[in-house]
Amino acid sequence: MSTRTTQVPRIALRCGIGIPQLGLGVFQVPAAATIQVVTQALEIGYRHIDTAAAYGNEKQVGEAIRASGVPREEVFVTTKCPNDSHGYDEARRAMRRSLDRLGFAQVDLYLIHWPVPMRDRYVETWRAFIDMREEGLARSIGVSNFLPAHLQRVISETGEAPAINQVELHPYFQQRELRREHERLGIVTEAYSPLAQGLALEDPAIVAIAERHSRTTGQIVIRWHLQIGNLVIPKSATPERIRQNFEVFDFELTDEEIETINGLDAGRRTGGDPATFAIQ
C-alpha cells in the first residue's frame, strides 16, 4: 500500500470496519468515461469509490478496479439501491443486479439511495438490507438523503441504525441539526455535492483562505469537510481536478478559517428535498 494511500484517514463504522474519509464520487460521470476516471483515481491513491445503480456506471467501476491491479479488498466500494426497488424482495433483487454489474460477490457499503416517503417502503427495504449484510452481500449498510424522522423510524421499527447517512452537505448547506442527530445515534455523516456543485469555489471568503494557503478553493472546501469530521466524496471527471482533490493531507485550516467557512451556512440546497424527491 502506497504512502499516498495510507495518508487518508479511515473512519470506523458501527459494524467495526473502516472507510477511507476521502473518496471519489462518479455521479454524472458517463459510463464511457468511468473506466478512465476510476483508473486514474486508483493510480493517484484513492481507495474509496462511490457509485449507484441509478448512475449507470457500476459495470465500468468494477472493470476499472479489476484492471487496476489493486487488490479488491483494498478498495472500498459503495453502491445504492434505486428508488424503484424499494420493498424487501425488490431490494434483494436490486442488490443482485448491482453485484452482477460490478462483478463482485460483495460490496463494502450498500445504501438506500432516497427514502421516497410517499411510497412508504423504506422500512421493509431496510429489513432486507439487514438480512443482506448478515448473508455477506454487503460488509456494511446505510442510507442516503434520510431526514431525522426517517432515521428514527427505521431504528424504532427494526432496532438497527444505519452505519452512514450520505447527504447533500457543503458550506452553504451544513446540516448541523442532522449532524448532531447522527452523532447522537452513532451514524457517520457522508457529504455529497461537497463543493455545492461548484458554487462554493468562487466564494470570496473561500478564495481568501485559498490564497493564504496557496491552494485551490476546492482543496480548501474538501479540507474543511475533513476537519469537521465528514466523509467526503467529491465528483470529477477532470484528471487535474481528481489529483488536486486528493492533495489535501499536507496542510490544515486554522480554527478561525474553519469558523469563517462555518459562517457561510445559508440553508441552501442545490439538489432534491428528501421529503418529496422520487426520481429514479
Side-chain angles (χ1 to χ4, degrees):
M1 191 175 293
S2 72
T3 301
R4 291 170 63 83
T5 300
T6 56
Q7 70 185 341
V8 181
R10 286 182 172 255
I11 292 181
L13 303 180
R14 63 188 314 115
C15 57
I17 68 175
I19 180 172
Q21 192 178 5
L22 174 64
L24 175 77
V26 294
F27 173 58
Q28 294 182 332
V29 176
T34 299
I35 291 178
Q36 181 179 352
V37 166
V38 173
T39 297
Q40 182 196 10
L42 294 172
E43 289 173 351
I44 289 169
Y46 287 84
R47 292 296 182 267
H48 173 188
I49 308 296
D50 180 277
T51 185
Y55 300 168
N57 54 23
E58 289 174 309
K59 181 176 184 289
Q60 291 74 22
V61 167
E63 289 177 359
I65 291 171
R66 281 190 296 278
S68 70
V70 178
R72 167 67 187 93
E73 63 271 16
E74 290 187 14
V75 186
F76 193 104
V77 178
T78 299
T79 194
K80 310 177 188 76
C81 180
N83 295 344
D84 63 356
S85 296
H86 279 217
Y88 187 90
D89 292 334
E90 294 90 336
R92 293 177 66 86
R93 287 193 289 267
M95 167 65 105
R96 289 294 185 184
R97 289 192 293 268
S98 284
L99 290 174
D100 286 347
R101 285 189 292 264
L102 287 162
F104 297 162
Q106 179 188 65
V107 292
D108 299 286
L109 176 64
Y110 198 42
L111 303 179
I112 301 177
H113 205 157
W114 291 84
V116 199
M118 64 287 299
R119 295 183 183 170
D120 195 25
R121 302 192 74 186
Y122 61 87
V123 174
E124 61 178 301
T125 302
W126 185 240
R127 289 195 176 101
F129 272 47
I130 294 169
D131 288 348
M132 289 189 286
R133 184 202 57 208
E134 294 304 304
E135 294 165 20
L137 300 178
R139 296 176 68 211
S140 56
I141 53 175
V143 296
S144 182
N145 297 296
F146 272 44
L147 299 173
H150 304 139
L151 294 172
Q152 291 159 10
R153 186 174 172 203
V154 297
I155 294 168
S156 67
E157 295 192 26
T158 70
E160 174 116 13
I164 279 175
N165 189 13
Q166 183 186 113
V167 295
E168 179 181 348
L169 202 158
H170 47 73
Y172 301 140
F173 192 63
Q174 297 185 23
Q175 301 252 47
R176 290 188 179 120
E177 180 182 350
L178 181 62
R179 284 158 51 204
R180 284 193 292 269
E181 184 72 354
H182 288 170
E183 186 173 2
R184 183 181 74 83
L185 296 170
I187 297 170
V188 172
T189 301
E190 184 167 27
Y192 75 76
S193 293
L195 308 178
Q197 297 189 22
L199 296 176
L201 301 181
E202 297 180 0
D203 189 283
I206 295 173
V207 169
I209 296 171
E211 290 175 349
R212 285 199 294 273
H213 287 273
S214 298
R215 298 284 174 160
T216 69
T217 49
Q219 289 171 322
I220 296 302
V221 176
I222 293 168
R223 186 69 212 177
W224 170 78
H225 280 284
L226 296 172
Q227 288 187 223
I228 67 171
N230 294 338
L231 288 172
V232 58
I233 47 169
K235 181 271 295 184
S236 181
T238 305
E240 182 61 15
R241 184 65 57 80
I242 293 170
R243 182 187 61 78
Q244 289 174 350
N245 289 347
F246 195 77
E247 295 178 342
V248 291
F249 298 102
D250 57 349
F251 76 101
E252 289 190 358
L253 303 179
T254 66
D255 291 344
E256 181 180 2
E257 289 166 341
I258 292 288
E259 287 305 312
T260 295
I261 299 175
N262 288 349
L264 299 177
D265 193 9
R268 178 184 176 188
R269 286 189 186 276
T270 62
D273 184 342
T276 58
F277 188 82
I279 297 174
Q280 304 310 330

